[in-house]
Amino acid sequence: MSEAPENPLAKGLERLPVHPTVLVIFGATGDLAKRKLLPALYNLAHEGALPERFHLIGVSRREKAHEDFAAEAAEAIRSFSRREPDEKVLEALLAEAKYVPGTFDDESVYRGLKEQLDAFDEAAGQPLNRAFYLSTAPEFFPVIVEALGNEELTKAAGEREVRVIIEKPFGTTLAEAQDLNQRVLSVLDESQVFRIDHYLGKETVQNMLAFRFANSMFEPLFNRNFIDNVQITASEDIGIGTRAGYYDHAGALRDLVQNHMLQLLTLLCMEPPVDFSADEVRSEKVKVLHSIRPPHRDATFRARYGPGTAAGEDVPGYLQEDGVPADSHTETYAALRLHVENWRWAGVPFYLRTGKRLARKVTEIAVTFKPVPHLAFGSEGSVGVKPNQLIFTMQPNEGVSMSLGAKIPGTRMRIRPVNMEFLYGTAFMSQSPEAYERLIMDAMRGDATLFTRNDEVEAQWRIIDPVVRRWEDEAETLVEYPSGSQGPPEANELLLGDDEWRAI
Ligand SMILES: NC(=O)C1=CN([C@@H]2O[C@H](COP(=O)(O)OP(=O)(O)OC[C@H]3O[C@@H](n4cnc5c(N)ncnc54)[C@H](OP(=O)(O)O)[C@@H]3O)[C@@H](O)[C@H]2O)C=CC1
Ligand SMILES: O=C1O[C@H](COP(=O)(O)O)[C@@H](O)[C@H](O)[C@H]1O
């Protein structure tokens, strides 16, 4: 029997093995670690996806014994895991977990960490891979990377690979992102750096690539000749909760548009990559970002939530939230009109909007096709004809739907839109993994496809930075929308022609 020929296009899709690894979480007692990272590790352990030799080390400020760290981590997993934990798996995952206390600027922390890492190597009889996860406030990212470098913890030794996973936000301006890249890359090679954008770990976001590049029927339509406009929505019903300290410095534009929403846009607009290796995919995404100019003032809009209702309860406005300064000028809603100025997309408006305390949590991309050139059904027959839409829903009902014009049953010729739907839940009958499960595994494997490259993050900032600066300079009173509403009607002004925002 002849062997199947090697398929060069499969490059990047074959699963790299996960070598024995020590994962070090800086900020291991923080909110993200408790709600997302530790539960993700548990679920990977439950599925047998972690390497046989896997160790966890937590590093944070407060003093505590190894056993106390392990007990708190177990409690966090019991509270936040997507599946009820099996106590045996939990015990095996955390039995040897270590904890290193101290402040991130203290050299002795890194010496203590080195001792633990060396002890794991010695017990294994081989140099183990190291993955350092920086789940800390962004000001510590360069501090930690430089300290790891000084202690020679970032060097590969023999078979060992060393990788550093960096949380968001990656800078709060273009200049900061450039400075951070420069500092990080003075210690590490780009191939060792994994900048997280958790949207890329979502199944439905990756499904956009499958949908576009595994089906021949849509790709010929994905261009300016057939598409009228694209709307990307990331609405949330929650407020800022206890995150005023972070959010009041960030605002909606930096928090969601600069990263997650631009990622959705690049995946929708990119050219087919030669293969699915990290650099081929990311280079195509960067080309899209380079085609987008910062939007003009009349193509941007911001607002902030006022008092209203959420889940039937009265809720305060943004200015009344704990920790928000009375003179805050931070937006909780941002809308932009962008253009991707290349052969495929020139002339197609891309509308992006995000907001907290809106009517519902929805993350979706709605692609609206051009209307048919001529309607032959007379005025009564044609009244219900609407342009086709293709909707990618990331949350809450993950799937893809397509609206088509269909004849209403009866003796007359009348048309109305109907939906064809693919829903993840019913098609695959399985629960999707959390984004962090996929991303932690990929980083441990050294697969950077779903992580943001240095030039990519800077290209994102080049689009957003001028808007951030303009908004900081303009002191006009922010428009308020009631909590629980569809958002500010003034945001309609950036839509072109007869375009309308979809209902949230
Ligand atoms: N929370 C979330 O939902 C999300 C968070 N992120 C990002 O993840 C990162 C972490 O966020 P989050 O977990 O919410 O932050 P938290 O404030 O909840 O946690 C911070 C962690 O860092 C430790 N820490 C703080 N200061 C020091 C210091 N000087 N020296 C040593 N340890 C210190 C804390 O230790 P101790 O407890 O001992 O004080 C704690 O473990 C941030 O970059 C954030 O932007 C990204 C997406 C979502
Ligand atoms: O990064 C962030 O994302 C969340 C929304 O993430 P999702 O996976 O629930 O869609 C957002 O609430 C938060 O403000 C932001 O920092």
Side-chain angles (χ1 to χ4, degrees), residues 29-32 35 60-62 102-104 136 140 167-168:
T29 53
D31 178 71
L32 183 69
R35 286 191 308 107
S60 290
R61 185 167 36 194
R62 277 169 286 175
T103 53
F104 296 137
T136 72
F140 296 117
E167 255 306 328
K168 65 163 278 216

Side-chain angles (χ1 to χ4, degrees), residues 172-198:
T172 62
T173 59
L174 172 62
E176 272 184 35
Q178 287 169 323
D179 180 63
L180 183 52
N181 268 332
Q182 197 248 316
R183 289 176 73 179
V184 166
L185 295 176
S186 67
V187 177
L188 300 162
D189 185 74
E190 175 62 29
S191 61
Q192 295 179 284
V193 184
F194 294 76
R195 296 172 194 80
I196 289 258
D197 184 311
H198 80 276

Side-chain angles (χ1 to χ4, degrees), residues 36 168 198-199 202 236 238-239 243 246-247 255-256 259-260 356 361 363 395 436:
K36 298 287 182 187
K168 65 163 278 216
H198 80 276
Y199 269 45
K202 289 181 190 278
E236 296 187 278
I238 55 169
R243 295 174 74 208
Y246 155 74
Y247 196 88
D255 188 43
L256 254 120
N259 35 61
H260 309 323
K356 299 246 182 234
K361 167 118 182 151
T363 311
Q395 355 194 47
Y436 282 96

